[in-house]
Amino acid sequence: MESPLRLLIPGPIDLDKRVLAALAEPVIPHYGDDWVALYRRLQDGVRPHAGTAGSVFLLAASGSGALDAGVRSLTSPGDRVLVPVSGYFSQRFYEIALANNLEAYKLDVKPGLAPTPEQIAEAIDSLSIKTLLLCHNETSCGAICDVEAIGRVCQSRGVNVFLDAISSLASVEIRADDWGLDYVAAASQKGLEGPPGLAPAIITPRGWDTYDRNPARSVGWYFDFGVWRGFERDLGEYHPQPATMPVNVARALDVAIGLQAGESRGDRYRRIAAGAAGLRSSLRELGFKILAPESVASPTVTCAFVPPDLEGRVGDLLAWMRNECGFILAEGFGPLQGRIIRIGHMSRLVFESYLPEFLSGIERYLRLARAA
Amino acid sequence: MESPLRLLIPGPIDLDKRVLAALAEPVIPHYGDDWVALYRRLQDGVRPHAGTAGSVFLLAASGSGALDAGVRSLTSPGDRVLVPVSGYFSQRFYEIALANNLEAYKLDVKPGLAPTPEQIAEAIDSLSIKTLLLCHNETSCGAICDVEAIGRVCQSRGVNVFLDAISSLASVEIRADDWGLDYVAAASQKGLEGPPGLAPAIITPRGWDTYDRNPARSVGWYFDFGVWRGFERDLGEYHPQPATMPVNVARALDVAIGLQAGESRGDRYRRIAAGAAGLRSSLRELGFKILAPESVASPTVTCAFVPPDLEGRVGDLLAWMRNECGFILAEGFGPLQGRIIRIGHMSRLVFESYLPEFLSGIERYLRLARAA
């Protein structure tokens, strides 16, 4: 087999060999003792990363599906929601709000920055907002926001908070209950270091209150958390979820979560943050400029402008890194396309095996491009 | 490794070794040339089984998700729909209709039978039905309905038809365009012989008309086929679907579909039907009674009552088959629980390698149970 390309994109990530091997084990049913034990381990593996005593459902869906599910289950058409938008994925959260017939207000944030608690407080107060739809970590710009401080602003105003933690969960601390969050959406192929195909949907006790008081929640079946709660309640020991699950993906995710067990969560988050800071520093030394200021720079995705003398060469750099070094990087979206490179580093493999080779590849490219 | 248990349940199915091996290949991105080529092969592999010139979307979801997506995209709240219900999965289609605020009418059908064109015509005429939600193959009872004849009844009355083909697609002929269907929902882990995790959602040209004329379709994002059509149109050459996909599952499904290429579709459907008929005949010889009359017996799932002298021993039989022979069978639902066994035989492996051992296991059990 040809040597595979290595992923330095903001998910999916490369998988540990043991995780890949689990994918190929024979299929098991999505019910019965073995399945229930596996499903419970997955729930118990995800829950502490979200910091909640609430429910964790493993949706057979992508992270965007989990966003849609949260909006569908915990709002009613016409609800006034605020969506800070600084890039492609926060814009998606806004579109999901519109698609669910919410009265959605956009808070424009400069790409590379993060919404501040003050901006959000002001918008909530002037617009009588009921719910904040917050993208924790905008992977199109590599910027992360301060959910704790924003949560405080919302709690004091009785505003619900739904968090898109797709690219942050299991890489960054989240304390959903303490921070007053109702809902957290994630995905299996990012910080949890599993294959794509499952989306953890986390409803806090506060979120269940919101659900139960929601007059018009009954729209749809698959993404209605009441349906999921019903299966947990009625068939929890046998078939705790309403539908067929991607069992191979679930088993691989279980192995991935198991591989993380030797390290405390705090140590994990610190290690990831320190690795990202080191990467930014190395890139700066090579003449790159990081899009996000250091105060909001993402621990899982780095977006960087190429050195000024090589502006316009982003496509060339990405192609060279792929063809000569075997690394797949991502490019920018919209106005940032052709101006930045985006590096996903949610996988332990990045810092434990790829990084030196990646940086030396970048360095070689710069030398060649300048010599040409 | 312990010898794995073999699945004789109505999905998921056991996978060919080559399909399992594809699951464990390194992750690739869900965009770009390689992905688009793979996605197109999957669409082209599914489309002929549905018999349509329409769209095939590969949803990251279970089959139930695809049912919900079809109902959500192609109906409006308050629409009058008819749902023939003969068992657990047709009942689910009814519940999905209710969850989407449709005015849903149930046509009760005796478990083991299938709704007839006459019954459906009568219900449509008396209730002014707009849409029929039809379960093609009720796996809780092992009975299949005549979609062609039912489609004719609906076409002549201008009634839309959405087909739950989760347990029939790629095992039984479906000609969605000829038969006047709007929508067909399927799943990767049944007749397509892939792993669970993807749900083909098929919209016929007629279905797109229904979608485009639907005044209130805009509820939800992930399951709105307009969103999927938009990505196809705007980003078809790069990112033809809106969300991250379970790429490992997709690659394995591609291998599975590729393995079917040596046989014509007609030969395939005939082989599967003949295999199922042979299985029913063998079971009858052993004293079992098949729940469904031969005229509506399913080609993919067989439900059978144990011989009369062993009534009440179903749980014992299933446990024995699992522990002594390594076969996982399914039991009945609701009033049929403890009365029937359910055998899924969507996988080629059943007829090519398991069947003799399965039947001899059943025979041994009968002997032992009668001797005890």
Side-chain angles (χ1 to χ4, degrees), chain A residues 155-212:
Chain A
Q155 261 186 306
S156 70
R157 286 163 173 81
V159 167
N160 299 327
V161 182
F162 303 173
L163 190 68
D164 169 353
I166 294 170
S167 62
S168 59
L169 187 104
S171 299
V172 178
E173 182 176 50
I174 297 172
R175 298 207 312 272
D177 288 349
D178 290 352
W179 298 349
L181 312 184
D182 291 70
Y183 181 69
V184 179
S188 50
Q189 77 280 8
K190 311 247 180 181
L192 292 168
E193 300 181 273
L198 283 167
I202 299 140
I203 300 111
T204 65
R206 183 193 154 96
W208 279 121
D209 280 350
T210 302
Y211 178 90
D212 287 323

Short mmCIF file of all heavy atoms in Angstrom, two decimals, chain A residues 155-212:
data_model
loop_
_atom_site.label_atom_id
_atom_site.label_comp_id
_atom_site.label_asym_id
_atom_site.label_seq_id
_atom_site.Cartn_x
_atom_site.Cartn_y
_atom_site.Cartn_z
N GLN A 155 -26.25 33.62 32.11
CA GLN A 155 -26.93 33.12 33.31
C GLN A 155 -27.59 34.27 34.06
O GLN A 155 -28.72 34.15 34.52
CB GLN A 155 -25.92 32.42 34.24
CG GLN A 155 -25.95 30.91 34.10
CD GLN A 155 -25.05 30.21 35.12
OE1 GLN A 155 -23.86 30.51 35.21
NE2 GLN A 155 -25.61 29.27 35.85
N SER A 156 -26.88 35.37 34.19
CA SER A 156 -27.42 36.49 34.97
C SER A 156 -28.63 37.10 34.28
O SER A 156 -29.41 37.82 34.90
CB SER A 156 -26.34 37.55 35.21
OG SER A 156 -26.06 38.21 33.99
N ARG A 157 -28.80 36.81 33.00
CA ARG A 157 -29.93 37.37 32.25
C ARG A 157 -30.99 36.30 31.93
O ARG A 157 -31.93 36.58 31.19
CB ARG A 157 -29.42 37.99 30.95
CG ARG A 157 -28.69 39.30 31.17
CD ARG A 157 -27.85 39.66 29.95
NE ARG A 157 -27.28 40.99 30.08
CZ ARG A 157 -26.19 41.26 30.80
NH1 ARG A 157 -25.56 40.29 31.46
NH2 ARG A 157 -25.72 42.49 30.88
N GLY A 158 -30.77 35.10 32.42
CA GLY A 158 -31.74 34.02 32.14
C GLY A 158 -31.77 33.59 30.68
O GLY A 158 -32.78 33.10 30.18
N VAL A 159 -30.65 33.77 29.99
CA VAL A 159 -30.59 33.40 28.57
C VAL A 159 -30.04 31.98 28.42
O VAL A 159 -29.04 31.62 29.05
CB VAL A 159 -29.71 34.42 27.80
CG1 VAL A 159 -29.37 33.92 26.39
CG2 VAL A 159 -30.42 35.77 27.72
N ASN A 160 -30.68 31.19 27.61
CA ASN A 160 -30.19 29.84 27.33
C ASN A 160 -28.94 29.90 26.45
O ASN A 160 -28.82 30.79 25.61
CB ASN A 160 -31.26 29.03 26.58
CG ASN A 160 -32.54 28.88 27.38
OD1 ASN A 160 -32.50 28.80 28.60
ND2 ASN A 160 -33.67 28.86 26.69
N VAL A 161 -28.08 28.91 26.62
CA VAL A 161 -26.86 28.85 25.79
C VAL A 161 -26.72 27.46 25.20
O VAL A 161 -26.72 26.46 25.92
CB VAL A 161 -25.60 29.18 26.62
CG1 VAL A 161 -24.36 29.15 25.72
CG2 VAL A 161 -25.72 30.53 27.31
N PHE A 162 -26.62 27.42 23.87
CA PHE A 162 -26.30 26.17 23.17
C PHE A 162 -24.90 26.33 22.61
O PHE A 162 -24.61 27.30 21.90
CB PHE A 162 -27.24 25.94 21.99
CG PHE A 162 -28.71 25.89 22.33
CD1 PHE A 162 -29.64 25.82 21.30
CD2 PHE A 162 -29.17 25.91 23.64
CE1 PHE A 162 -31.01 25.78 21.58
CE2 PHE A 162 -30.53 25.87 23.93
CZ PHE A 162 -31.44 25.81 22.90
N LEU A 163 -24.05 25.37 22.88
CA LEU A 163 -22.64 25.49 22.49
C LEU A 163 -22.29 24.52 21.37
O LEU A 163 -22.50 23.31 21.50
CB LEU A 163 -21.76 25.21 23.71
CG LEU A 163 -20.26 25.52 23.53
CD1 LEU A 163 -20.05 27.03 23.41
CD2 LEU A 163 -19.45 24.96 24.70
N ASP A 164 -21.76 25.06 20.29
CA ASP A 164 -21.12 24.24 19.27
C ASP A 164 -19.70 23.95 19.76
O ASP A 164 -18.83 24.81 19.67
CB ASP A 164 -21.11 24.99 17.94
CG ASP A 164 -20.23 24.32 16.88
OD1 ASP A 164 -19.52 23.34 17.22
OD2 ASP A 164 -20.24 24.78 15.73
N ALA A 165 -19.53 22.75 20.32
CA ALA A 165 -18.22 22.35 20.83
C ALA A 165 -17.62 21.28 19.93
O ALA A 165 -16.81 20.46 20.36
CB ALA A 165 -18.36 21.85 22.26
N ILE A 166 -18.02 21.30 18.65
CA ILE A 166 -17.59 20.24 17.74
C ILE A 166 -16.07 20.15 17.69
O ILE A 166 -15.51 19.05 17.74
CB ILE A 166 -18.20 20.48 16.32
CG1 ILE A 166 -19.72 20.32 16.39
CG2 ILE A 166 -17.59 19.52 15.30
CD1 ILE A 166 -20.45 20.77 15.14
N SER A 167 -15.42 21.28 17.63
CA SER A 167 -13.95 21.25 17.50
C SER A 167 -13.24 21.59 18.81
O SER A 167 -12.05 21.87 18.80
CB SER A 167 -13.50 22.22 16.40
OG SER A 167 -13.87 23.54 16.75
N SER A 168 -13.98 21.55 19.92
CA SER A 168 -13.33 21.86 21.20
C SER A 168 -13.49 20.74 22.23
O SER A 168 -12.58 20.50 23.02
CB SER A 168 -13.88 23.17 21.78
OG SER A 168 -15.28 23.09 21.99
N LEU A 169 -14.60 20.04 22.21
CA LEU A 169 -14.84 19.03 23.25
C LEU A 169 -13.71 18.02 23.31
O LEU A 169 -13.27 17.50 22.28
CB LEU A 169 -16.15 18.29 23.01
CG LEU A 169 -16.51 17.35 24.16
CD1 LEU A 169 -17.60 17.95 25.04
CD2 LEU A 169 -16.92 15.97 23.67
N ALA A 170 -13.25 17.77 24.51
CA ALA A 170 -12.17 16.82 24.79
C ALA A 170 -10.78 17.39 24.49
O ALA A 170 -9.78 16.71 24.68
CB ALA A 170 -12.36 15.47 24.09
N SER A 171 -10.75 18.64 24.01
CA SER A 171 -9.46 19.31 23.83
C SER A 171 -9.34 20.54 24.74
O SER A 171 -8.24 21.02 24.98
CB SER A 171 -9.30 19.79 22.38
OG SER A 171 -9.33 18.71 21.48
N VAL A 172 -10.48 21.03 25.18
CA VAL A 172 -10.54 22.29 25.92
C VAL A 172 -11.53 22.06 27.06
O VAL A 172 -12.53 21.36 26.87
CB VAL A 172 -11.07 23.42 25.00
CG1 VAL A 172 -11.18 24.73 25.76
CG2 VAL A 172 -10.18 23.58 23.77
N GLU A 173 -11.28 22.67 28.20
CA GLU A 173 -12.21 22.47 29.31
C GLU A 173 -13.59 23.08 29.01
O GLU A 173 -13.69 24.22 28.53
CB GLU A 173 -11.66 23.11 30.59
CG GLU A 173 -12.58 22.87 31.77
CD GLU A 173 -12.01 23.40 33.09
OE1 GLU A 173 -11.59 24.58 33.11
OE2 GLU A 173 -12.00 22.64 34.06
N ILE A 174 -14.62 22.30 29.33
CA ILE A 174 -16.01 22.79 29.25
C ILE A 174 -16.69 22.36 30.54
O ILE A 174 -16.62 21.18 30.90
CB ILE A 174 -16.74 22.20 28.03
CG1 ILE A 174 -16.08 22.66 26.72
CG2 ILE A 174 -18.22 22.60 28.04
CD1 ILE A 174 -16.63 21.97 25.48
N ARG A 175 -17.32 23.29 31.24
CA ARG A 175 -18.05 22.93 32.46
C ARG A 175 -19.50 23.40 32.27
O ARG A 175 -19.91 24.44 32.78
CB ARG A 175 -17.42 23.58 33.69
CG ARG A 175 -15.98 23.11 33.94
CD ARG A 175 -15.57 23.19 35.42
NE ARG A 175 -15.91 24.46 36.04
CZ ARG A 175 -15.13 25.56 36.05
NH1 ARG A 175 -13.94 25.52 35.48
NH2 ARG A 175 -15.53 26.66 36.63
N ALA A 176 -20.23 22.61 31.50
CA ALA A 176 -21.56 23.04 31.04
C ALA A 176 -22.49 23.39 32.19
O ALA A 176 -23.21 24.40 32.12
CB ALA A 176 -22.18 21.95 30.16
N ASP A 177 -22.50 22.58 33.24
CA ASP A 177 -23.43 22.87 34.34
C ASP A 177 -23.04 24.16 35.06
O ASP A 177 -23.88 25.03 35.29
CB ASP A 177 -23.48 21.69 35.33
CG ASP A 177 -24.21 20.48 34.73
OD1 ASP A 177 -24.85 20.62 33.67
OD2 ASP A 177 -24.12 19.38 35.32
N ASP A 178 -21.77 24.29 35.41
CA ASP A 178 -21.32 25.51 36.10
C ASP A 178 -21.53 26.76 35.26
O ASP A 178 -21.79 27.83 35.79
CB ASP A 178 -19.81 25.43 36.41
CG ASP A 178 -19.49 24.40 37.47
OD1 ASP A 178 -20.45 23.86 38.07
OD2 ASP A 178 -18.30 24.14 37.69
N TRP A 179 -21.35 26.63 33.98
CA TRP A 179 -21.38 27.80 33.11
C TRP A 179 -22.79 28.12 32.59
O TRP A 179 -22.96 29.04 31.78
CB TRP A 179 -20.43 27.61 31.93
CG TRP A 179 -18.98 27.45 32.33
CD1 TRP A 179 -18.45 27.66 33.58
CD2 TRP A 179 -17.90 27.05 31.49
NE1 TRP A 179 -17.10 27.41 33.57
CE2 TRP A 179 -16.72 27.03 32.31
CE3 TRP A 179 -17.78 26.71 30.14
CZ2 TRP A 179 -15.46 26.68 31.79
CZ3 TRP A 179 -16.53 26.36 29.64
CH2 TRP A 179 -15.39 26.35 30.46
N GLY A 180 -23.76 27.36 33.02
CA GLY A 180 -25.15 27.67 32.64
C GLY A 180 -25.51 27.31 31.22
O GLY A 180 -26.38 27.94 30.63
N LEU A 181 -24.87 26.28 30.67
CA LEU A 181 -25.20 25.87 29.31
C LEU A 181 -26.39 24.92 29.32
O LEU A 181 -26.56 24.12 30.24
CB LEU A 181 -24.01 25.19 28.64
CG LEU A 181 -22.64 25.88 28.73
CD1 LEU A 181 -21.61 25.10 27.91
CD2 LEU A 181 -22.72 27.33 28.26
N ASP A 182 -27.19 24.98 28.28
CA ASP A 182 -28.30 24.04 28.10
C ASP A 182 -27.88 22.84 27.28
O ASP A 182 -28.34 21.73 27.51
CB ASP A 182 -29.46 24.72 27.35
CG ASP A 182 -30.15 25.78 28.18
OD1 ASP A 182 -29.52 26.84 28.41
OD2 ASP A 182 -31.29 25.55 28.60
N TYR A 183 -27.03 23.10 26.32
CA TYR A 183 -26.81 22.09 25.29
C TYR A 183 -25.40 22.22 24.73
O TYR A 183 -24.91 23.34 24.53
CB TYR A 183 -27.84 22.28 24.17
CG TYR A 183 -27.70 21.26 23.08
CD1 TYR A 183 -28.00 19.93 23.33
CD2 TYR A 183 -27.23 21.61 21.82
CE1 TYR A 183 -27.85 18.97 22.33
CE2 TYR A 183 -27.09 20.66 20.82
CZ TYR A 183 -27.39 19.34 21.09
OH TYR A 183 -27.24 18.39 20.11
N VAL A 184 -24.78 21.09 24.49
CA VAL A 184 -23.44 21.05 23.91
C VAL A 184 -23.44 20.01 22.78
O VAL A 184 -23.85 18.87 22.99
CB VAL A 184 -22.38 20.66 24.97
CG1 VAL A 184 -20.99 20.60 24.34
CG2 VAL A 184 -22.39 21.63 26.15
N ALA A 185 -22.99 20.42 21.61
CA ALA A 185 -22.90 19.51 20.46
C ALA A 185 -21.45 19.23 20.14
O ALA A 185 -20.62 20.15 20.15
CB ALA A 185 -23.58 20.13 19.24
N ALA A 186 -21.13 17.98 19.85
CA ALA A 186 -19.74 17.63 19.53
C ALA A 186 -19.71 16.63 18.38
O ALA A 186 -20.71 16.41 17.70
CB ALA A 186 -19.05 17.08 20.77
N ALA A 187 -18.54 16.07 18.15
CA ALA A 187 -18.38 15.10 17.05
C ALA A 187 -17.28 14.13 17.42
O ALA A 187 -16.38 14.45 18.20
CB ALA A 187 -18.05 15.81 15.74
N SER A 188 -17.35 12.94 16.84
CA SER A 188 -16.42 11.87 17.23
C SER A 188 -15.02 12.03 16.64
O SER A 188 -14.07 11.47 17.18
CB SER A 188 -16.99 10.51 16.79
OG SER A 188 -17.39 10.54 15.42
N GLN A 189 -14.90 12.79 15.54
CA GLN A 189 -13.64 12.77 14.78
C GLN A 189 -12.72 13.95 15.07
O GLN A 189 -11.85 14.26 14.28
CB GLN A 189 -13.95 12.72 13.28
CG GLN A 189 -14.41 14.03 12.64
CD GLN A 189 -15.88 14.34 12.87
OE1 GLN A 189 -16.55 13.68 13.63
NE2 GLN A 189 -16.38 15.39 12.22
N LYS A 190 -12.95 14.60 16.22
CA LYS A 190 -12.08 15.75 16.57
C LYS A 190 -11.36 15.42 17.87
O LYS A 190 -10.58 14.49 17.92
CB LYS A 190 -12.94 17.01 16.64
CG LYS A 190 -13.85 17.18 15.42
CD LYS A 190 -13.51 18.35 14.56
CE LYS A 190 -14.47 18.44 13.39
NZ LYS A 190 -14.19 19.55 12.49
N GLY A 191 -11.64 16.18 18.94
CA GLY A 191 -10.89 15.97 20.17
C GLY A 191 -11.03 14.58 20.78
O GLY A 191 -10.15 14.14 21.53
N LEU A 192 -12.10 13.90 20.49
CA LEU A 192 -12.26 12.55 21.03
C LEU A 192 -11.37 11.55 20.30
O LEU A 192 -11.23 10.40 20.74
CB LEU A 192 -13.72 12.10 20.96
CG LEU A 192 -14.70 12.87 21.88
CD1 LEU A 192 -16.14 12.56 21.51
CD2 LEU A 192 -14.44 12.53 23.35
N GLU A 193 -10.82 11.96 19.18
CA GLU A 193 -9.83 11.17 18.43
C GLU A 193 -10.37 9.85 17.87
O GLU A 193 -9.64 8.85 17.81
CB GLU A 193 -8.56 10.96 19.29
CG GLU A 193 -7.90 12.29 19.67
CD GLU A 193 -6.63 12.14 20.51
OE1 GLU A 193 -6.73 12.07 21.76
OE2 GLU A 193 -5.56 12.13 19.92
N GLY A 194 -11.64 9.87 17.49
CA GLY A 194 -12.25 8.70 16.87
C GLY A 194 -12.55 8.95 15.41
O GLY A 194 -12.24 10.02 14.86
N PRO A 195 -13.16 7.96 14.75
CA PRO A 195 -13.55 8.15 13.34
C PRO A 195 -14.82 9.00 13.25
O PRO A 195 -15.58 9.08 14.22
CB PRO A 195 -13.87 6.73 12.85
CG PRO A 195 -13.79 5.84 14.04
CD PRO A 195 -13.52 6.64 15.26
N PRO A 196 -15.07 9.62 12.11
CA PRO A 196 -16.33 10.35 11.94
C PRO A 196 -17.51 9.39 11.88
O PRO A 196 -17.36 8.25 11.45
CB PRO A 196 -16.15 11.07 10.60
CG PRO A 196 -15.10 10.30 9.87
CD PRO A 196 -14.22 9.68 10.91
N GLY A 197 -18.68 9.85 12.31
CA GLY A 197 -19.89 9.04 12.21
C GLY A 197 -20.78 9.12 13.43
O GLY A 197 -21.93 8.70 13.39
N LEU A 198 -20.26 9.67 14.54
CA LEU A 198 -21.08 9.82 15.74
C LEU A 198 -20.97 11.26 16.24
O LEU A 198 -19.90 11.86 16.20
CB LEU A 198 -20.61 8.87 16.84
CG LEU A 198 -21.02 7.42 16.68
CD1 LEU A 198 -20.26 6.52 17.65
CD2 LEU A 198 -22.54 7.24 16.90
N ALA A 199 -22.08 11.77 16.74
CA ALA A 199 -22.10 13.14 17.24
C ALA A 199 -22.66 13.13 18.66
O ALA A 199 -23.85 12.92 18.85
CB ALA A 199 -22.95 14.02 16.33
N PRO A 200 -21.80 13.36 19.67
CA PRO A 200 -22.33 13.46 21.03
C PRO A 200 -23.22 14.69 21.17
O PRO A 200 -22.83 15.80 20.78
CB PRO A 200 -21.06 13.60 21.89
CG PRO A 200 -19.95 13.04 21.06
CD PRO A 200 -20.33 13.39 19.64
N ALA A 201 -24.41 14.48 21.68
CA ALA A 201 -25.37 15.55 21.93
C ALA A 201 -25.62 15.55 23.43
O ALA A 201 -26.08 14.55 23.98
CB ALA A 201 -26.66 15.28 21.17
N ILE A 202 -25.28 16.66 24.07
CA ILE A 202 -25.25 16.69 25.53
C ILE A 202 -26.28 17.69 26.03
O ILE A 202 -26.23 18.87 25.69
CB ILE A 202 -23.83 17.07 26.00
CG1 ILE A 202 -22.84 16.01 25.51
CG2 ILE A 202 -23.79 17.24 27.52
CD1 ILE A 202 -21.53 16.54 25.03
N ILE A 203 -27.22 17.19 26.82
CA ILE A 203 -28.26 18.06 27.38
C ILE A 203 -28.03 18.13 28.89
O ILE A 203 -28.03 17.10 29.57
CB ILE A 203 -29.68 17.52 27.09
CG1 ILE A 203 -29.88 17.43 25.59
CG2 ILE A 203 -30.76 18.43 27.68
CD1 ILE A 203 -29.94 16.03 25.09
N THR A 204 -27.83 19.33 29.39
CA THR A 204 -27.62 19.51 30.82
C THR A 204 -28.96 19.43 31.55
O THR A 204 -30.03 19.51 30.91
CB THR A 204 -26.99 20.88 31.11
OG1 THR A 204 -27.93 21.89 30.74
CG2 THR A 204 -25.70 21.07 30.31
N PRO A 205 -28.95 19.30 32.88
CA PRO A 205 -30.22 19.36 33.61
C PRO A 205 -30.99 20.64 33.29
O PRO A 205 -32.21 20.63 33.08
CB PRO A 205 -29.77 19.32 35.08
CG PRO A 205 -28.48 18.54 35.04
CD PRO A 205 -27.81 18.97 33.76
N ARG A 206 -30.27 21.75 33.20
CA ARG A 206 -30.89 23.02 32.79
C ARG A 206 -31.52 22.89 31.40
O ARG A 206 -32.61 23.40 31.14
CB ARG A 206 -29.79 24.09 32.78
CG ARG A 206 -30.27 25.47 32.46
CD ARG A 206 -29.08 26.39 32.14
NE ARG A 206 -29.57 27.44 31.28
CZ ARG A 206 -29.96 28.63 31.71
NH1 ARG A 206 -29.80 28.97 32.96
NH2 ARG A 206 -30.48 29.51 30.88
N GLY A 207 -30.83 22.19 30.50
CA GLY A 207 -31.35 21.99 29.15
C GLY A 207 -32.63 21.16 29.15
O GLY A 207 -33.55 21.43 28.37
N TRP A 208 -32.71 20.17 30.02
CA TRP A 208 -33.95 19.39 30.11
C TRP A 208 -35.11 20.25 30.58
O TRP A 208 -36.24 20.08 30.12
CB TRP A 208 -33.77 18.17 31.02
CG TRP A 208 -33.09 17.01 30.33
CD1 TRP A 208 -31.93 16.41 30.70
CD2 TRP A 208 -33.55 16.33 29.15
NE1 TRP A 208 -31.62 15.39 29.82
CE2 TRP A 208 -32.60 15.32 28.87
CE3 TRP A 208 -34.65 16.47 28.30
CZ2 TRP A 208 -32.73 14.45 27.77
CZ3 TRP A 208 -34.77 15.61 27.22
CH2 TRP A 208 -33.83 14.62 26.95
N ASP A 209 -34.84 21.17 31.51
CA ASP A 209 -35.90 22.13 31.91
C ASP A 209 -36.38 22.91 30.71
O ASP A 209 -37.58 23.08 30.49
CB ASP A 209 -35.35 23.14 32.94
CG ASP A 209 -35.29 22.55 34.33
OD1 ASP A 209 -35.86 21.46 34.54
OD2 ASP A 209 -34.68 23.20 35.21
N THR A 210 -35.42 23.39 29.93
CA THR A 210 -35.78 24.15 28.73
C THR A 210 -36.61 23.27 27.79
O THR A 210 -37.62 23.71 27.25
CB THR A 210 -34.50 24.65 28.03
OG1 THR A 210 -33.77 25.46 28.95
CG2 THR A 210 -34.83 25.46 26.79
N TYR A 211 -36.16 22.04 27.60
CA TYR A 211 -36.89 21.11 26.73
C TYR A 211 -38.33 20.92 27.22
O TYR A 211 -39.29 21.02 26.46
CB TYR A 211 -36.17 19.76 26.67
CG TYR A 211 -36.90 18.73 25.84
CD1 TYR A 211 -36.65 18.60 24.49
CD2 TYR A 211 -37.86 17.90 26.41
CE1 TYR A 211 -37.33 17.68 23.71
CE2 TYR A 211 -38.56 16.98 25.65
CZ TYR A 211 -38.29 16.87 24.30
OH TYR A 211 -38.98 15.96 23.54
N ASP A 212 -38.45 20.66 28.52
CA ASP A 212 -39.78 20.31 29.05
C ASP A 212 -40.73 21.50 29.07
O ASP A 212 -41.94 21.31 29.06
CB ASP A 212 -39.63 19.68 30.44
CG ASP A 212 -39.06 18.26 30.37
OD1 ASP A 212 -39.41 17.54 29.42
OD2 ASP A 212 -38.26 17.90 31.25
#
